[in-house]
């Protein structure tokens, strides 16, 4: 690789990391905060929460990578243009491959990394995360951890506790059991605990009220009472894996006896084609970013910032791919559309690059954006003038 290509690769790579890490951190934080109830409701340790947060990260990385690359390419090339570096490169008679080759090399590496994360790392991380959540809520103690609040454990079964102590001990238990239409049972107990297997609630020093449909109530005091939870816990702790949790090899050859696959086979088809197209997006985004910002331009030229145009194309392309992938669930014809989106975009970008023409935003869109911006500026100036005049009076 030539010295100039190494220089461009280093600058784009540095800008890529600068754009990637903050955006990735923000999105990751928002996703983690949505699962903070794992700690507040289930009493899990901070270590378990940190592990779950780590398992979320692989599902975010492939989504953020292409957009960070667009920002890196357009910002680097725009800065080089403003510093007249692109003009000097053109004046020296250098080929355009001087710019294209290092950027596409970086995009190819990012695409391979995205493929690895999306098809190998992410499915395993999602499987671990689902199993952690399933095991966390398999214990009744986790379901009723919130003190002084009624929690629905099963259809017709409600539990409340006054206080939770260390060692799986509970204080002030109230259990309402309406599952049997022949009678209603209400349990009161001063204290209790869930056994280590999570299948039995043992209550001490309490009473049970038995009410029949005709209104008769019988009260029985007890020193110790075992409440069977096996019917509710036998299916808990088992994570149900979905199409997005499967690796690529399973999607190519699904198990016909898999429970989720028999219910939603079309979702596995859609997930397979999404996996086969999403990983190439960094290269596609790099191509049209080069077509937008890869040439020398005059500083006096009135134009939209290349980053705005490139991000606009990127969001439109990503939304179209996302929409087509979702439609495959109900209409297999969208498979062709899903593959056509990156292929057509790449071909158009390559044509513009080979012809040394700029890929610009359509004039009618640019005119509308400019008009909207001018109206916004006029309103802000008018509002500022009114507030200033009012203050003067």
């Amino acid at each position: 690789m030539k010295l100039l290509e190494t220089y461009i690769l280093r600058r784009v790579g540095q800008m890529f990391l600068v754009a990637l890490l903050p955006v990735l951190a923000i999105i990751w934080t928002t996703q983690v905060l949505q699962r903070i109830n794992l700690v507040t409701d289930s009493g899990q340790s901070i270590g378990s929460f940190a592990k779950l947060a780590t398992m979320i990260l692989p599902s975010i990385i492939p989504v953020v990578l292409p957009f960070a690359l667009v920002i890196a390419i357009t910002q680097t090339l725009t800065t080089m243009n403003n510093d007249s570096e692109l003009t000097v490169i053109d004046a020296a008679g250098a080929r355009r491959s001087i710019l294209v080759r290092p950027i596409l090399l970086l995009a190819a590496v990012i695409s391979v990394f995205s493929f690895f994360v999306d098809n190998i790392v992410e499915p395993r991380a999602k499987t671990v995360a689902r199993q952690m959540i399933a095991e966390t809520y398999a214990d009744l103690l986790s379901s009723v951890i919130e003190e002084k609040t009624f929690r629905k454990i099963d259809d017709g079964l409600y539990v409340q506790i006054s206080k939770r102590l260390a060692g799986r001990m509970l204080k002030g238990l109230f259990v309402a059991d309406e599952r049997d239409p022949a009678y209603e049972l209400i349990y009161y107990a001063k204290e209790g605990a869930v056994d280590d297997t999570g299948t039995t609630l043992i209550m001490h020093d309490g009473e049970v009220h038995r009410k029949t449909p005709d209104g008769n109530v019988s009260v029985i005091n007890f020193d110790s009472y075992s409440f069977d939870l096996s019917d509710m816990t036998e299916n808990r702790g088992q994570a149900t894996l979905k199409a997005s949790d499967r690796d690529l090899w399973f999607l190519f050859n699904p198990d016909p006896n898999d429970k989720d696959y028999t219910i939603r086979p079309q979702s596995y088809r859609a997930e397979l084609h999404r996996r086969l197209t999403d990983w190439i997006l960094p290269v596609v985004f790099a191509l049209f970013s080069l077509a937008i910002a890869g040439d020398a331009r005059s500083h006096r030229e009135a134009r939209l910032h290349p980053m705005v145009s490139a991000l606009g194309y990127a969001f439109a392309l990503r939304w179209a791919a996302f929409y087509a992938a979702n439609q495959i669930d109900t209409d297999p014809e969208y498979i062709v559309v899903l593959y056509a989106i990156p292929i057509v975009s790449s071909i158009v970008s390559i044509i513009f690059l080979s012809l040394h023409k700029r890929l610009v935003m359509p004039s009618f869109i640019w005119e509308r954006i400019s008009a909207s911006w001018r109206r916004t500026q006029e309103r802000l100036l008018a509002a500022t003038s009114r507030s200033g005049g009012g203050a003067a009076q």
Side-chain angles (χ1 to χ4, degrees):
M1 184 177 291
K2 299 178 181 178
L3 182 62
L4 185 56
E5 292 177 339
T6 304
Y7 168 74
I8 295 171
L9 179 62
R10 184 177 69 251
R11 288 194 61 173
V12 175
Q14 291 173 348
M15 182 58 64
F16 171 73
L17 294 178
V18 170
L20 173 67
L21 296 180
V23 176
L24 188 62
I26 293 171
I27 298 177
W28 182 47
T29 302
T30 58
Q31 294 295 315
V32 168
L33 290 178
Q34 293 177 7
R35 293 164 176 82
I36 194 68
N37 63 320
L38 181 70
V39 175
T40 59
D41 285 355
S42 62
Q44 296 298 302
S45 65
I46 190 64
S48 298
F49 180 69
K51 182 180 179 181
L52 178 63
T54 305
M55 295 299 104
I56 296 173
L57 192 57
S59 63
I60 304 172
I61 292 176
V63 178
V64 180
L65 286 178
F67 294 99
L69 183 61
V70 169
I71 295 174
I73 295 172
T74 53
Q75 180 61 32
T76 300
L77 294 181
T78 301
T79 302
M80 292 179 66
N81 181 68
N82 294 337
D83 295 339
S84 300
E85 291 177 294
L86 295 184
T87 304
V88 172
I89 292 174
D90 287 345
R95 295 182 179 180
R96 207 172 191 185
S97 60
I98 291 289
L99 291 176
V100 175
R101 187 157 48 189
I103 291 175
L104 288 185
L105 176 61
L106 177 62
V109 172
I110 294 173
S111 292
V112 173
F113 177 72
S114 179
F115 180 87
F116 174 75
V117 173
D118 202 13
N119 292 283
I120 298 176
V121 178
E122 182 182 349
R124 296 182 181 180
K126 282 188 174 181
T127 300
V128 173
R130 287 190 184 276
Q131 190 63 38
M132 284 182 61
I133 295 174
E135 291 175 354
T136 296
Y137 289 101
D139 191 350
L140 176 67
L141 192 61
S142 300
S143 301
V144 298
I145 192 64
E146 191 172 352
E147 298 175 353
K148 299 180 181 179
T149 301
F150 279 99
R151 299 297 297 271
K152 182 179 180 180
I153 306 303
D154 198 8
D155 291 337
L157 181 62
Y158 303 86
V159 179
Q160 182 195 34
I161 61 172
S162 297
K163 192 174 183 180
R164 178 178 180 268
L165 305 177
R168 304 172 64 87
M169 294 298 298
L170 307 173
K171 286 287 188 180
L173 282 84
F174 175 87
V175 180
D177 187 357
E178 302 175 349
R179 293 174 295 174
D180 193 332
Y183 52 83
E184 298 177 5
L185 296 174
I186 298 178
Y187 301 86
Y188 301 94
K190 291 184 178 180
E191 62 180 27
V194 180
D195 66 352
D196 294 335
T197 62
T199 60
T200 304
L201 173 62
I202 303 173
M203 295 180 282
H204 301 284
D205 191 10
E207 59 185 32
V208 54
H209 295 198
R210 184 176 185 272
K211 181 180 179 181
T212 58
D214 57 8
N216 293 325
V217 178
S218 58
V219 180
I220 302 174
N221 295 321
F222 59 82
D223 293 327
S224 180
Y225 189 92
S226 296
F227 190 87
D228 186 19
L229 304 173
S230 58
D231 291 340
M232 292 170 290
T233 58
E234 61 182 1
N235 293 326
R236 295 191 177 201
Q238 301 296 323
T240 301
L241 300 182
K242 300 181 180 180
S244 59
D245 307 323
R246 305 293 191 174
D247 57 35
L248 188 61
W249 323 120
F250 186 93
L251 296 177
F252 272 119
N253 186 25
D255 182 2
N257 298 321
D258 183 81
K259 182 178 179 181
D260 188 67
Y261 176 73
T262 56
I263 298 174
R264 290 180 292 270
Q266 67 279 2
S267 65
Y268 286 76
R269 178 184 59 204
E271 180 67 17
L272 172 62
H273 294 291
R274 185 197 67 79
R275 298 267 190 96
L276 295 177
T277 53
D278 274 6
W279 71 278
I280 200 65
L281 288 180
V283 173
V284 179
F285 283 19
L287 285 171
F288 68 69
S289 296
L290 281 167
I292 291 173
D295 62 331
R297 307 185 187 189
S298 172
H299 298 293
R300 299 179 180 179
E301 182 181 353
R303 59 187 176 91
L304 193 64
H305 194 284
M307 185 185 299
V308 177
S309 300
L311 284 176
Y313 280 113
F315 281 114
L317 184 64
R318 192 67 186 88
W319 177 86
F322 180 76
Y323 176 80
N326 284 342
Q327 292 299 114
I328 293 176
D329 280 355
T330 56
D331 190 353
E333 293 181 358
Y334 275 89
I335 295 176
V336 177
V337 177
L338 183 61
Y339 285 94
I341 290 171
I343 293 174
V344 172
S345 300
S346 299
I347 292 175
V348 171
S349 300
I350 292 172
I351 292 174
F352 274 83
L353 284 171
S354 61
L355 296 178
H356 295 275
K357 291 188 176 182
R358 292 174 298 182
L359 181 63
V360 297
M361 185 173 291
S363 58
F364 71 93
I365 297 179
W366 164 238
E367 290 172 359
R368 289 188 178 183
I369 293 176
S370 300
S372 299
W373 176 245
R374 285 195 298 269
R375 287 195 297 268
T376 302
Q377 288 181 316
E378 291 172 359
R379 291 173 182 174
L380 290 175
L381 289 174
T384 304
S385 299
R386 286 195 299 269
S387 61
Q393 292 175 357

